[in-house]
Amino acid sequence: MTAGFISKKVLGALVTLIFVVCFNFFLFRVVDADPVANLFRGKELSQSQRAELREEFGLNGSQGEQFVKYLGQTAQLNFGRSYSTNQPVWDEIKKKAGATIALVGIAAVLSAVIGIMLGIAAAWRRRTKADYGITAFTMGAYSMPEFWLGMLLLTFFAVKLGWFPVGGITDPDSSATGLAKLADQAHHMFLPALTLTLAYLGEYTIIMRSSLLDTMREDYLVLARAKGLRDVLVRNRHAVPNALLPVVALMAINFGFVLSGAIAVEAIFSWPGLGLATYEALKGPDLPMLQGLFLVFSASVILFNLIADILYAWLDPRVRTS
Amino acid sequence: MSAEGNGALLEVSGLKVEFPGRHGTARAVDGVDFTMKSGEIVALVGESGCGKTTLARSIMGLQRPLAGEVRVRGETLRYGRRALRDHRRSAQMIFQDPTGALNARQTIYEAVAEGVRIHRLPGNEEEVVAEGLSRAGLRPPERFFTRYPYEISGGQRQRVIIAGAMVLNPSLLVADEPVSSLDASIRGEILALMLKLVRETQIGILVVTHDLGLAWNVADRVAVMYLGRIVEEGPTEEILSSPRHPYTRALLSVVPEIAQMEQQILSGEAPDPTRIPSGCRFHPRCPLVESGKAAELGIEERCRTEDPVELPACHAVR
Amino acid sequence: MSGQVPLLSVRDLHVTYAAAERPVPAVRGVDIELEVGETLGLAGESGCGKSSLAGALLRLLPGGTEVTGEVLLDGEDVLTMKPGRLRAVRWTDLAIVFQGALHTLNPVQRVGDQIGEAIRLHSKGTSHAKVRERVGELLELVGLPARRARDYPHQLSGGQRQRVLIGLALACEPRLLIADEPTTALDVMVQAQVLRLLEDLQERFGLATIFITHDLSTLASVCRRLAVMYAGRIVEQGPSHDVFAAPTHPYTRALAGAFPVIGDQAFRMAPAGLPGDPPDPRHLPEGCPFHPRCPAAVETCSSVPVELWPAGPGRAAACIHAPGSPVPA
Amino acid sequence: MRSIHRRTLAVAVLVAALITGLTTISAHGQDGSVTFDVGEPQGIDSMSPLIGVVVPSFEAWNIQYATLTDKAAEDFHTIPGLAESWTASKDKLTWTYKLRDGLKWSDGKPLTSEDIAWNVNTSRKEEWLNHSAVTANLTATAPDPQTVVIKTSVPDPKLPTMDVYILPKHIWGKLSPDERDKYAGEDGVGSGPFVLDKFEKGQFARFKANPNYWGGKPAVDTVVLRKFNNPDAMVAALKTGELDAAWDIPGAAFNQLKNDDDFVTNEGYQGSFSEVALNGGDGLKKGHPALEDPEVRKAIAHAIDRDTLVARVLDGIGKPLKTISPSANPEWVPDLSEDTSLDFDLDEAKRILEDAGYKDTNGDGVREMPNGGEPLKFTYYARSDGETGPKVAEFVRGWLDEIGIATTEKIASDSELTPIIGKGDYDMFAWGWTPYVDPDTMLDYMTCKQVAADPDDPTNYYNDANYCDPEYDKLYAQQKVELDPEKRKEIVHEMLTRWAHSGVYNVMWEEPETIAYRKDRFEGWTQQPAETGPVLFSNTSPTYAKLKPVSASASGDDDGGGSGGIIAIIAAAVLVLGGGAWFLSRRRSADERE
Amino acid sequence: MSALAEAPSARRIAWLRRRRAVAGAWRDYRRHLPGMVGLVILVLVVAMALAAPLLADEAGLKAINSTGNPTWASPSEFGPLGTDGLGRDVMTQFIWGSRISLLVGLAATILAMVIGSVVGITAGFFGGAVSAVLMRVTEWFLVIPFLPLAIVLAAILGPSVKNIILVIGITSWPSTTRLIQAQVLTLRERDYVDRSRALGASNWHLMSRHILPNVSPLILANTTLTVPIVILSEATLSFLGLGDPSNASWGKMLDDAFESGAVTLEAWWYFVPPGLGILLVVLAFTLVGQALEEILDPRLRDKHG
């Protein structure tokens, strides 16, 4: 893998990012004619204060000038202030990103791991009851609206049985620290993480299954068997690693969508992350917040696409060394 | 032999085709001059990567050359839409893999009728198609009309492609490895069909192949190509009985049937058209150079520096 | 020939693939004997069952395929071996060089590791350095520099990959080598290189070899004995030179004719071939399966079953025209 | 790459085990202190009274910041707060307050008249969001640490009531006006019964008892106001015991809790009402021309069935109401029960429209204007915030449809709707108000000067019907100077009746605060006003200071019930994973078995 | 039939061919059990949607017509599926909701497919600068997270069935484009394209006679696989309050259920049916799509066959 390859990919990602940033400007300019009026609704502002604020928000001058100013501010991670909290959007996002990364990250990893294992099991035992069972289960999970699954789990495990808290990330009564705090968070995270894991699982299983089935038709598996390799080793050394390649790329790409993936589920479980922030910004609507979130979500997808490209090239010598 | 008088059917002059690539520009066809007449079969032979397929595609106008020109019956090939279409009535092509060359979603009828429709040929389309199929040995033709390519055998598919080309009454047929993907027992029948077509219609056929046996089977003349150049050319019997270029000799020696000839297995794989050696392009693999024979003849220096121009393109021959 | 048990003895081998509509018989009763150090050429066109035969010898065919008969390797039946024993036999007694080296090597593993895997598998506990050394030896044996062990398959040319596969086949010093279309898809010159390498190695190590290809002319020059397959059966066998020069079976004759002898005026402007197509193994004709295409067919051919009848010294042919045929032509 | 799946499996099992292990060390580290958990669905928007606007923020300030004078729980009359007593000058323009002895901030700093004076003067100068309405005309001085003198520039009937939050000068006074404007106010220093301990915006605010509170340290150690994005989750939390009380409970769930012996439900009325308003046409932009016709408005008034709305939209939790309620005190609302001119009668509505010339001439089910062809097609805005908007729309639009008036429904959040109303860009919308104790403010909102007039700042007005009635304004001025309470009440009743008959403001109901609390946890719940008011989220929220744990045994936390279940489910998860592992690692594969 | 006999023979052949192809595909399809299960579910749901006026009175969707019903009545107390918080019959909502869900699912998919196919075929066939630009744009749209973009667009355009279709349609095309472009790239290199070109075919001829027929199975299979995604997207958008308030889909029903507290009231009859409806339709389309993919895509044929 050459420096040229990487720099080409990075450059491509940057171009895409710039496109998204520009797109963002026009998209939100269409919605929001006067952020100042929105931000300070209900407050008396003098004309001079108003002008000052318009200056601060980069709303003076032509569209072109505004655009240049917007680019400059965006480059410094200045996405404006949230209408609802009057805090810088970037600070709000930073504050909330952790909760989302923890929840969705865990769900993403678990769903990938379990999904891949199920996919392997199904493909290796294709046309058996295990295969049919796994396929039916994952298809079912895949076909559910994830928020509906969340509603069902919430109704049953939190409302009816009371095993889990109905929402939030920590118990506000508890000022626990360390391990106990972590335990408290895990307790809160269980249902939303389970929902998301089940929701993401299906895709991995389906893709891993079909990828492994493809790989299993490859001649080099026959050679490996001819060499006297045990079937399990044929699978683990030759079939699975090769079949994993496209799945790993998918994983990286999916991780990019992770940040934005949990809007409805975070809303249902009142999980105070970026998804819930999106949900609330939407209800506001808190446009600077939406705009900032939108940009961050897109950037994360671009970043992980880049990682997927590089990872794929790193894992696959055919891409790496040509 | 030809009824065309001295007017050549196909003239290729100074043809050059290049492909830009990651590892440099590939000079696939690097200055080829070549003519053939009506009613003859010419075999263009060489290893893979020697540029023979590119040459064939350039003759069809499927590949735009960097330099040089292609003339069929004295008409220079132009690349406008209409000119190309007209060119493709007089020149037709047969492909190596008949399975890939037929659209799996078209019936045999449609495959043969396609050219008729494109060129809006007069006459009853059904009759034209039926005649084309039976001329190609698919009889009775009606039985094949509604068949799909996957329902017939490989040999029959190649016949369908020949039929599709022949309904346009071309004067030149370019056949790119026409039998190499077919089973051995079927090849002969297809080659016989080609011979029959030449005799019946005075068409000229350019057969691109790596198989010298095929040339012996059907070709009037043979042209041997190496790294984008024709290195030796002449009547089949002359070239295959007494090859003069060392490359031709080597090619001939590895044909397993010829037990009496000492094998001259060239080292290395098919040469790389992105790195054409200076001097004689064959010299790095040339048995004459390797064995020191060239040095004996005192031409080794020329082999390394001087590009032989006249055919056969070997310094040792003159 | 010798009083000992032959190295390989295949008896009445049948291979039948499972299919949705009806099972597909690919090999229909094949007998082969091979002595130590002997070379056998197996010729036939696509679909004649030659590759299924090769796969059956090491039980490499996909699950659900029915294999009957006997494959005796040193008198031991491969078809009834326990899985553990079978794995031990694979590669140490019998190795295969597959066709199409691009797909036969794992694209994401270094070729050296793929060779090393076979070594380590069959001589447990071999040190890393030893394995590496042996891999280097093998590569040099097949005419590649040892440093190529670090390459991935796609970094090698077609001929080089085929060489790697040959080296890999020799890794555990097998006594029997099956070369399944080892030169198909290679360029003419490279074909010749690989053939010469195989011949050299076979002579050097006294390997018994079964050479499988559709190219009859290649076999004639490489193997001592020759068997021609058609529709799942051997239709003619005997010393290769005899078979090639004077075929008994019309199919062999046609096949030989498809490879013209350059310089022989008989082939000049006279391409020879057979009408019709190879049969569909699911719908084989009655009687001799070749009769619909046979230029020498007579009426009885469509009804009388044929089997290998004697046809000269060390020769047999499945044709009623064979000298030893009990059926009057 | 060796044996990838087994390694990943190990990681998965490890993660599961980690969750199991950690979770079983139960989450509740109880230390015997008393915590009062309150759920609410809105969330504190800011701890700073200079920024916050929503009800839970007021609840937070009510418990964190004491006021100079307090309001009686039972009937809102002015009682001593930080001030022990007060006297007025003859012209009632100068008021002298005497502070209690030994007042201290929660951080131990003394609370003096300096603090009071600074709050009054600075909030007036800087126009603090939640202070300036009271302090607009006031100037305060502090002649000695226990005496505050407040002067008013115009006679003010509200005095001596001084119900503004007193912020600690030693913290807020150090800031420049600009900084103060942006200050988050999360320092946790106050003079009320509780002060802020930890604030996670959007999640919860935790308060701890203030040992220096002038009323004595409360019996409860910790108060948590916990925000729920979803009222359902809140009710569920109340049921599972995560919460002790919850506010703003949806009607259906509230009815369910009513029948549950473990809970006490409290319908606390404090004058909150909701209305369907029409565009009166006197603002920046007129609505549909038909809306200017009083006959059309009359017809619309007849098309609103208050009883059904209360029954269906509020699930019976509320009272049908025909006019605005200007005060938390119900005596200010006139009795219109005999007045049938506002009653639901679709036939009457149709007749009125028919007589006024609004006929459906093209047979599409929608009436047209008498003169031309313009159909009666109104834009109806439903609020996305709150529970009732879409439901009211469902009914009201249905009824209007019945009488031949079509509506296009648009959904808008409060912050979107505010400028839309200001600009007059609507025909109808439904919203509501919660009045103060004194009716003056609410009455003021419907005067002509509150009709939007400045196109640059259309949101700075409150007359959301954009309807100007000079006669109403005249009455308003009268009541403002009327010192006789009975006479003032009469004038107010007349104003309200008049406003109701204008037809621009179809009040639907008065709705209570819906509060429920667990019986077994606390006692000392205090309604404000007595009998009818809410126990929490009332005007001054007196409950918190009075609350104490139920004396006897019942105080045990029932969290324990949950953990067994958690263990069970996690064990199940581990089993599933483990089973998968076993399943995968079985050595003989299907192929080998053949 | 007699009219066909008089038709020109070429057309007759084409017709025969098509009939045989369809019959053959149907024969293959019938043998595909999961595909048949999906198809049966789909037929039932579509039948229900089409027959909605016969099955349930539309007036029952309105709260003002339901004032006689109890609220939050369970199925045992009222009708087959009980009532919601406004007393409306859940069954009626379920039946009428299927119309909107299917309508949005199909219409948005068709929109996405048309955009995706046109861009994909153009980019794949012509290559060069055209392709570079189109694919760059496609890539841009691919990285913009779908849901946030859809949310923002829906918020700008306002909630209505038409806008939801538009929003989902214009955010769902890029993956189709990429798929089709990749397929066209390989088709373009096929010998039969060269053969046709050698026969004198124009670009238009190649695209319409060779490229399009050969990508159309892919488009069809992709369509059936996109519908479920679109239906789920619609449900999510509706759930987030961006659905059409006056035309309730299943997603909107879930939103209503969630907002009106059905979860705490354990009024499962209000939120289980629409969720199950979505699940079944999505599953059915996925099954049909996978079956079509297997049957129509020759590359997959032997894998599962």
Side-chain angles (χ1 to χ4, degrees), chain B residues 131-261:
Chain B
E131 202 212 314
L133 284 172
S134 48
R135 261 212 298 184
L138 296 170
R139 276 180 289 251
E142 291 77 15
R143 257 187 53 205
F144 291 91
F145 277 8
T146 58
R147 298 271 185 101
Y148 282 93
Y150 68 89
E151 295 172 314
I152 61 177
S153 72
Q156 288 172 331
R157 283 175 215 153
Q158 194 60 293
R159 286 170 192 270
V160 169
I161 289 171
I162 293 173
M166 292 307 291
V167 291
L168 297 180
N169 289 320
S171 46
L172 172 66
L173 193 60
V174 177
D176 184 5
E177 302 275 13
V179 296
S180 66
S181 71
L182 302 176
D183 268 328
S185 66
I186 296 159
R187 290 179 192 174
E189 295 279 299
I190 299 290
L191 293 177
L193 174 63
M194 288 166 63
L195 271 178
K196 192 187 86 168
L197 291 174
V198 171
R199 291 204 191 100
E200 283 174 4
T201 65
Q202 284 299 305
I203 193 172
I205 301 183
L206 178 67
V207 184
V208 173
T209 183
H210 66 277
D211 182 357
L212 288 172
L214 187 153
W216 183 254
N217 256 347
V218 297
D220 298 300
R221 286 197 301 136
V222 172
V224 181
M225 212 170 159
Y226 184 80
L227 261 188
R229 280 277 174 87
I230 289 176
V231 294
E232 186 166 14
E233 197 208 333
T236 306
E237 308 213 13
E238 194 182 309
I239 300 284
L240 295 191
S241 311
S242 46
R244 295 171 72 194
H245 196 285
Y247 178 64
T248 314
R249 274 209 294 276
L251 270 186
L252 209 51
S253 76
V254 297
V255 177
E257 296 83 11
I258 303 175
Q260 66 270 27
M261 229 174 136

Side-chain angles (χ1 to χ4, degrees), chain E residues 44 51 63 65 94 97 147 168 173 183 195 210 216 262 270-271 278:
Chain E
L44 290 178
N65 299 323
F94 178 76
L147 200 54
I168 299 180
W173 60 272
Q183 177 78 357
R195 174 178 158 314
H210 292 289
S216 55
Y270 195 19
F271 61 85
I278 294 171

Side-chain angles (χ1 to χ4, degrees), chain D residues 230-236 239 250 252-253 256 308 311-313 315 384 386-387 390-391 394-399 401-402 409-411 416, chain E residues 61-72 85-88 155 159 241 243 245-246 252 256-266:
Chain D
N230 155 16
D232 261 352
M234 178 176 79
V235 175
K239 285 181 174 172
Q256 225 186 22
T308 298
R312 283 291 148 103
V313 177
D315 294 284
S384 59
E387 301 281 305
K391 294 183 189 170
E394 170 76 31
F395 282 101
V396 171
R397 294 183 59 222
W399 289 317
D401 194 43
E402 292 284 301
E409 183 178 352
K410 290 193 174 172
I411 295 189
E416 286 173 306
Chain E
L61 293 173
K62 286 192 172 178
I64 59 162
N65 299 323
S66 308
T67 48
N69 300 344
T71 59
W72 293 124
L86 296 179
R88 291 174 300 186
S246 15
K252 184 76 173 53
D256 284 347
F258 188 65
E259 292 288 338
S260 61
V263 171
T264 0
L265 297 171
E266 293 170 32

